[in-house]
Amino acid sequence: MMDKNIERKKSLLDTMILTPLKERVPTVGVRHVQALLMFFYMLVTMLTRSTMSIAVVAMTDNSTVTNDDIVYYDWENTNIILSSFYWTYIILQPFSGYFFKQFGLRKCLMGTMLFNGIAFTLIPSAAASFGSMGVIACRMIQGLLQGFTFPACHAALGLWAPLNERSKLTVLIYSGCNVGVILAMLITGWISSSVYGWPLVFYLFGATTIVWCIAWFFLGYDSPAKHPRIGVAEKHYIMEALEHCEEEMSDSNLPIRQILTSLPFWALAICNIGNTWGITLFDLEVPTYLQKVLGFDIKTNGIISSLPQITQLGLSLVFAPVTDYIVEKKVISLMNCRRLFQVLGSLVPAATLVWLAFISKSQATLIIILLNVIIGLTVFLYNGSYINHVDISPKYAGLMLGMENSISQMVGLTGPIFVQYMVPDLSDILLWRNVFLLVSVITATTATFFMIFGSAKIQWWNSWSASNAEAEQCTLSAPIIENKV
């Protein structure tokens, strides 16, 4: 094994010496083009995923109609429609690696994005022909196809992102999530309130999937080895940086039983499941609350619903270097750092939820401010329990996240169904009080469990199979990638 590693390093050195200067590893190269394509992949995916929370308000509110040709529906199951996406969302996630290996990342993303776009574009026709059940069917198809989304981004980073550039490329790719949600809220609200009406949203965003597929067909590739136009130096640079990690991790024995009997794992898993439930509920239900309780028109609704995403972007840019400083300089212990951000990302929003629960309709401005605080501060969870997988097991962090995420998504999809039955009259602010209080209790309880029983020390089962420092570094950034799911 050692001789093989030496030969690889010698090959890379010879390549760099013999390659002309213009062929040296470019500062901005093919790897950045692939990352940019994945940025737009996330953006378009979020356009076709997040739009529904605003669009369903427009589809069921005749006050938004400015064109007599635009229809609206008297549906009582809007929360079921919102949750239907997640009914099928987890089905393909466990098998995504198999599909990527069998068919290649390029074909899988091309196919899933194309049919996702078709299903999304057909929603107006499905609503006209089959009512809410037609919309639910389209959303279930979308959920199934979008199950590849975050595993695909992880796979792309594993194929194209050298270790010393992975953080930057990860930020580039996953910023597409926030940008996509912001655009979905703003554009959907604006178009729905215009003479064109809500159907245009589905045709417009559906068309973006076609544009992305065309770009991906011509520019997207499975790996540096399969890219026909990549420079020799950049190709060797990427492949040499990633090859050792893949080999070392391929034969590892997975300590699943050890993980499942580990208290630190369950501490962070229970905390993240509680967070996912509350966040999913709020992401889907805030537009309905703003329209039914506060009476905001669809355009204003879209603007207000996008504000928390803007808040999150701003906070992440400001506090990212602060977090690095705290950890690097050891201002406080690593676990206390996790506890600090868990307080900011869970307990402060939980306390604010109690405040929100007892506010009257007349205090609309204060309600908007509190919603921004509640949703915006959840960005701190990425420095708390969401990144704790790295602390307790750098090597098996991806495995833990996969196990945890399957449970989180199944629990998360119950949020809208819960609202459907807890708030039969969506305009009754007193019924919403019960929702806010329950979310507050669950969030605070699960966060407290993590802060008491969680750990930031590497667990003994992290060394369950032989590994070296390079193999552990290979997985170091994986949890940061998958925490977005």
Side-chain angles (χ1 to χ4, degrees), residues 418-429:
F418 166 76
V419 173
Q420 180 76 24
Y421 291 100
M422 285 289 290
V423 191
D425 181 2
L426 294 173
S427 63
D428 190 340
I429 194 171

Side-chain angles (χ1 to χ4, degrees), residues 27 41 67 86 111 117 168-169 172 212 234 264 285 302 350 355 418 423 432 449 470 473 476:
T27 303
Y41 171 74
N67 183 337
Y86 295 94
K168 291 183 291 186
L169 295 180
L172 171 60
W212 184 87
E234 184 179 11
E285 297 296 337
W355 187 2
F418 166 76
V423 191
W432 283 95
F449 187 83
E470 187 175 359
Q473 285 182 334
L476 188 57

Side-chain angles (χ1 to χ4, degrees), residues 71-91:
V71 297
Y72 81 98
Y73 304 95
D74 187 19
W75 293 333
E76 299 295 333
N77 61 340
T78 55
N79 288 297
I80 302 299
I81 293 173
L82 292 175
S83 70
S84 60
F85 176 93
Y86 295 94
W87 298 351
T88 54
Y89 181 58
I90 63 173
I91 293 177

Side-chain angles (χ1 to χ4, degrees), residues 37 106 110 113-114 207-220:
L37 285 169
R106 186 167 182 256
M110 175 72 73
M113 178 62 85
L114 179 62
T208 64
T209 65
I210 303 299
V211 174
W212 184 87
C213 285
I214 294 173
W216 180 249
F217 178 81
F218 288 105
L219 300 175

Side-chain angles (χ1 to χ4, degrees), residues 267 270-275 441-451:
I270 289 173
C271 182
N272 290 340
I273 290 169
N275 288 325
V441 170
I442 291 175
T443 301
T445 302
T446 55
T448 302
F449 187 83
F450 167 72
M451 290 189 287

Side-chain angles (χ1 to χ4, degrees), residues 231-250:
V232 174
E234 184 179 11
K235 177 179 178 180
H236 278 269
Y237 167 63
I238 298 171
M239 294 180 67
E240 289 291 329
L242 299 174
E243 190 171 5
H244 301 302
C245 298
E246 294 172 357
E247 286 187 355
E248 290 294 332
M249 297 301 294
S250 61

